[in-house]
Amino acid sequence: MTSQYRVNYHLRSHKRDNLIEFIKGMLLTPFVLHPHDEESKATQEQENANRYAGIFGSIEMLIDEHRELLQAGIPTHSRLAKLVPSIGTFFTRLPLEAAFRHINRTNRISARKHVPPSFNDIRRILNMAQVMAIAPELQLVT
């Protein structure tokens, strides 16, 4: 029998990240608005990948704008801060679009028909973007 704690674990506020929830909401739009019809599977997957990559590219631009305004001393004026009020500081540029394409090659997120990108999928993409951002300067990981 499953405990009540385990059932409601994902609903706990300390386990939620507002940026990831914002990205998840943005990714629901192409998933819901562009249903799969009789097109070929490869065409559908490529179109979905391009839509998702476009969304990650837009979020990447929002993060870049937020970083620039943070350096100028006015982070509250960024569009990202208005959309996600609890947003923090980004210390590196995040190549989200490239990270999505890398993760999509292995996990095939854009090939899914009935399951939208999950919290963990988005977290994995953000982690990969962070690794891609620091990789050129990285010399040792222990």
Side-chain angles (χ1 to χ4, degrees):
M1 189 164 160
T2 307
S3 71
Q4 195 67 19
Y5 176 80
R6 186 171 180 193
V7 170
N8 293 325
Y9 186 74
H10 69 283
L11 298 175
R12 294 183 176 266
S13 62
H14 72 281
K15 294 294 177 188
R16 301 187 85 76
D17 182 273
N18 291 333
L19 177 63
I20 294 178
E21 293 296 328
F22 169 72
I23 295 171
K24 188 176 171 184
M26 295 296 291
L27 293 175
L28 278 177
T29 304
F31 184 79
V32 173
L33 291 181
H34 300 284
H36 302 286
D37 51 5
E38 283 93 34
E39 293 180 36
S40 72
K41 188 175 182 178
T43 305
Q44 289 176 356
E45 186 175 347
Q46 187 59 41
E47 286 178 4
N48 285 344
N50 290 337
R51 286 185 191 111
Y52 288 151
I55 290 170
F56 277 110
S58 297
I59 295 168
E60 190 176 326
M61 287 189 304
L62 287 173
I63 291 172
D64 290 344
E65 176 196 51
H66 181 73
R67 289 185 67 223
E68 289 171 10
L69 291 173
L70 185 68
Q71 290 175 352
I74 48 173
T76 56
H77 293 302
S78 77
R79 291 181 291 166
L80 187 60
K82 292 175 183 170
L83 293 168
V84 185
S86 63
I87 198 73
T89 303
F90 293 93
F91 298 103
T92 58
R93 184 179 184 283
L94 296 177
L96 291 174
E97 188 173 347
F100 166 75
R101 292 200 185 273
H102 178 78
I103 294 293
N104 191 47
R105 278 195 298 271
T106 57
N107 293 23
R108 298 191 60 204
I109 295 169
S110 61
R112 299 178 188 165
K113 291 182 180 180
H114 305 292
V115 180
S118 69
F119 182 93
N120 288 336
D121 292 328
I122 297 165
R123 188 176 68 184
R124 187 177 303 117
I125 292 166
L126 288 169
N127 289 342
M128 179 56 69
Q130 185 66 50
V131 169
M132 290 174 141
I134 64 171
E137 301 162 3
L138 194 63
Q139 295 180 5
L140 176 66
V141 176
T142 61

